[in-house]
Amino acid sequence: MNTEHERIALDEAVRTCTLCPLAETRTNAVPGDGPVPARILFIGEAPGRNEDTKGVPFVGRAGSILNGLLEGIDVARDDVFITNIVKCRPPKNRDPNQEEIEACRPYLDSQLSLIRPEVIVPLGRFAMRWVLESYGIAPGPISEVHGKVFRIQTISGERVIIPVYHPAATIYRPAFREVLAADFETIRAVLDNSMAPDRLGR
Ligand code: URA
Ligand code: SF4
């Protein structure tokens, strides 16, 4: 199977998945959105109401904030991959629990091997913790960790992790908007500086 076929199969598996109880309450599972491979992978927490309705990640208010941040660093949304730790909306937007996260984990693992991102950007405390822990890094508080550049050596080369605040955080704390914009400039700088010779012409 080529990458695009694998991606279609994976999306279909997510859309029909019943591996955890969130399957019973979701309207649509939300596999993720974007090209494979992609240079950047954004990982949020879980779909919200709008995402559940449409089956697409970050289409509500948090989504328009994310779009604005991407525009600010001249990155097209169509060029990045966006997904969540769990693919189905938890009732009343509660935090996903351990059982749901573990059940859903293989989908994100498969996405990582298809997308092969140079830069992973966890959005918010929840995704930050999951991503750093899965690379064996003890996560600090997001107030200290946001905007930091973690460089991980993998068998397929260097991978960079840059955690940022969740875009929705700016709704209640407008001051976070500038912090997020500054952290996105770090993302831009890392992308601009990476030679990524093996990724040219992909
Ligand atoms: N918040 C998230 O974490 N993910 C979405 O897809 C939308 C809002
Ligand atoms: Fe399956 Fe993940 Fe949805 Fe649970 S959250 S039903 S594991 S796709």
Side-chain angles (χ1 to χ4, degrees), residues 65-118:
I65 298 165
L66 177 60
N67 292 348
L69 288 160
L70 286 170
E71 242 173 66
I73 58 164
D74 304 306
V75 170
R77 172 152 169 161
D78 286 350
D79 288 341
V80 305
F81 201 99
I82 305 176
T83 189
N84 286 296
I85 303 281
V86 299
K87 314 302 192 198
C88 300
R89 182 192 183 208
K92 299 188 185 144
N93 293 349
R94 66 158 170 75
D95 284 349
N97 64 35
Q98 213 51 38
E99 177 197 353
E100 295 152 0
I101 294 166
E102 286 310 315
C104 216
R105 179 179 197 110
Y107 297 125
L108 193 46
D109 288 339
S110 302
Q111 285 174 322
L112 270 166
S113 32
L114 284 177
I115 297 162
R116 290 183 287 121
E118 287 164 56

Side-chain angles (χ1 to χ4, degrees), residues 8 27 105 145:
I8 290 166
T27 312
R105 179 179 197 110
V145 163

Side-chain angles (χ1 to χ4, degrees), residues 30 43-52 56-63 66 77 82-86 93 123-124 126-127 166-168:
V30 183
I43 307 178
E45 176 174 329
R49 183 191 294 281
N50 292 294
E51 291 76 22
D52 177 69
V56 180
F58 283 91
V59 286
R61 225 163 142 197
L66 177 60
R77 172 152 169 161
I82 305 176
T83 189
N84 286 296
I85 303 281
V86 299
N93 293 349
L123 299 167
F126 195 90
H166 197 287

